Amino acid sequence: MQLAMVGLGKMGANMVTRLLKGGHQLVVYDLNESAIQAAEQQGAAGARTLAELAGRLAAPRAVWVMVPSGSATEQTIEQLAGVLSPGDVIIDGGNSYYKDSVRRAATLKERGLNFVDVGTSGGVWGVTQGYSMMVGGEAAVVTGFNSIFETLAPAPDTGWGHVGPNGAGHFVKMVHNGIEYGLMQAYAEGYELMQQKTEFDLDLHQISEIWRHGSVVRSWLLDLISKALAENATLEGIAAYVPDSGEGRWTVAEAIDLGCAIPVISIALQRRFISRQQAPFADKLLAAMRQQFGGHAVKKE
């Protein structure tokens, strides 16, 4: 099946590489000309406008969008809708908010266009190890892209699946990323505790290697921890500042809406917020309260 890819950032470009190696024909577009040229050198057909991209595809056309979530995705999908025809398909493989995907699917349906939301995980390693894909959309539409998913996945029958109607793919990916927050925080706290136990002079990389084999806490995240510690045992030069890209917030907000308790994920998100505060006002106020009721000394800045 011929497919177009819009958005050739690191993940989009890696997916193009994997699809081309799998024998698929691709038309590509990006705002960055050098990214288009790099894909052309691998065998993709480049387009310099979305209209040109649409014109290079045979009907029914399929366009996979891999641009940042939010306004960039919104604008790209709207522009594509203007150059595509009834029966064509837009696939959003980015980290869009699932409620936006539900809305976009309904809006596109009114224009005769089909929509598929694909929650995609795999990061920079997906090009070699494959991507985990959680697919939302109408079953009849999704089935037409099985060969694409089979090529991008770790194996044709592993790591991907149609999980439900429009919005379900991005909903499951949202929860996936929320779980990721909790797992990362648990590992980080455990390693913090071991790092603080200075009397044992623990080798954290060695312990990572022990845990990677046979342990109940072995995982790909642990593999990456081991790799990071092998490269930089003290994490020198890395600031204790942890951003979040939105999925954790959406997960916690959804839990509040549903009255569903997810304390670990919620705390993990809050911990990231704390990492960005150099001198939290709340901690200053705690010190001030202790001074007020107990006369305890406060440490000056």
Side-chain angles (χ1 to χ4, degrees):
M1 173 185 291
Q2 192 179 34
L3 179 74
M5 180 73 72
V6 174
L8 301 175
K10 186 172 292 185
M11 196 164 183
N14 284 345
M15 293 175 80
V16 166
T17 297
R18 194 169 177 91
L19 287 167
L20 289 171
K21 288 182 177 180
H24 296 277
Q25 294 182 328
L26 287 178
V27 181
V28 300
Y29 169 78
D30 193 88
L31 295 175
N32 186 342
E33 172 64 22
S34 62
I36 298 175
Q37 293 178 3
E40 288 177 326
Q41 290 174 3
Q42 296 183 69
R48 269 61 189 179
T49 67
L50 292 179
E52 180 188 352
L53 176 139
R56 285 176 171 265
L57 295 172
R61 295 170 287 193
V63 182
W64 188 304
V65 178
M66 284 297 291
V67 301
S69 63
S71 60
T73 296
E74 189 77 21
Q75 293 171 18
T76 300
I77 290 177
E78 178 60 29
Q79 291 169 11
L80 281 170
V83 298
L84 295 177
S85 304
D88 292 345
V89 184
I90 296 176
I91 304 169
D92 180 7
N95 276 329
S96 293
Y97 185 35
Y98 83 94
K99 290 184 178 180
D100 288 336
S101 297
V102 172
R103 172 181 54 80
R104 288 167 185 154
T107 301
L108 291 172
K109 195 69 174 177
E110 293 174 354
R111 303 169 71 166
L113 298 169
N114 295 304
F115 181 78
V116 176
D117 52 288
V118 182
T120 310
S121 180
V124 297
W125 298 91
V127 65
T128 55
Q129 298 187 17
Y131 297 91
S132 173
M133 292 167 291
M134 299 133 264
V135 186
E138 296 180 7
V141 177
V142 170
T143 299
F145 298 96
N146 282 0
S147 64
I148 300 294
F149 301 135
E150 289 169 356
T151 300
L152 289 172
D157 59 350
T158 301
W160 75 276
H162 180 209
V163 297
N166 283 124
H170 282 150
F171 177 82
V172 174
K173 178 56 163 55
M174 177 190 76
V175 177
H176 164 283
N177 283 26
I179 292 170
E180 180 183 292
Y181 279 44
L183 290 172
M184 292 173 70
Q185 185 64 32
Y187 277 123
E189 292 178 6
Y191 276 81
E192 171 77 14
L193 182 59
M194 291 189 290
Q195 192 266 346
Q196 293 286 340
K197 193 65 173 176
T198 55
E199 66 197 75
F200 286 159
D201 192 25
L202 299 173
D203 183 335
L204 300 186
H205 175 253
Q206 178 202 28
I207 293 166
S208 300
E209 286 298 300
I210 293 171
W211 287 355
R212 286 181 61 222
H213 305 281
S215 165
V216 296
V217 299
R218 65 187 184 274
S219 71
W220 186 52
L221 281 175
L222 184 58
D223 295 342
L224 298 179
I225 290 171
S226 182
K227 181 177 183 293
L229 292 174
E231 296 170 352
N232 186 354
T234 62
L235 305 183
E236 182 179 359
I238 299 176
Y241 183 101
V242 188
D244 72 284
S245 54
E247 296 89 347
R249 301 184 189 210
W250 298 339
T251 304
V252 172
E254 186 71 20
I256 292 171
D257 287 345
L258 295 176
C260 176
I262 54 168
V264 171
I265 294 173
S266 299
I267 292 171
L269 174 64
Q270 296 293 330
R271 185 63 184 81
R272 292 194 181 196
F273 295 159
I274 294 171
S275 78
R276 300 171 215 167
Q277 298 176 268
Q278 292 186 1
F281 181 80
D283 291 347
K284 292 183 178 183
L285 187 58
L286 286 171
M289 283 189 283
R290 292 183 75 250
Q291 182 186 44
Q292 290 292 327
F293 69 66
H296 302 287
V298 295
K299 183 178 180 180
K300 300 295 184 178
E301 291 183 319

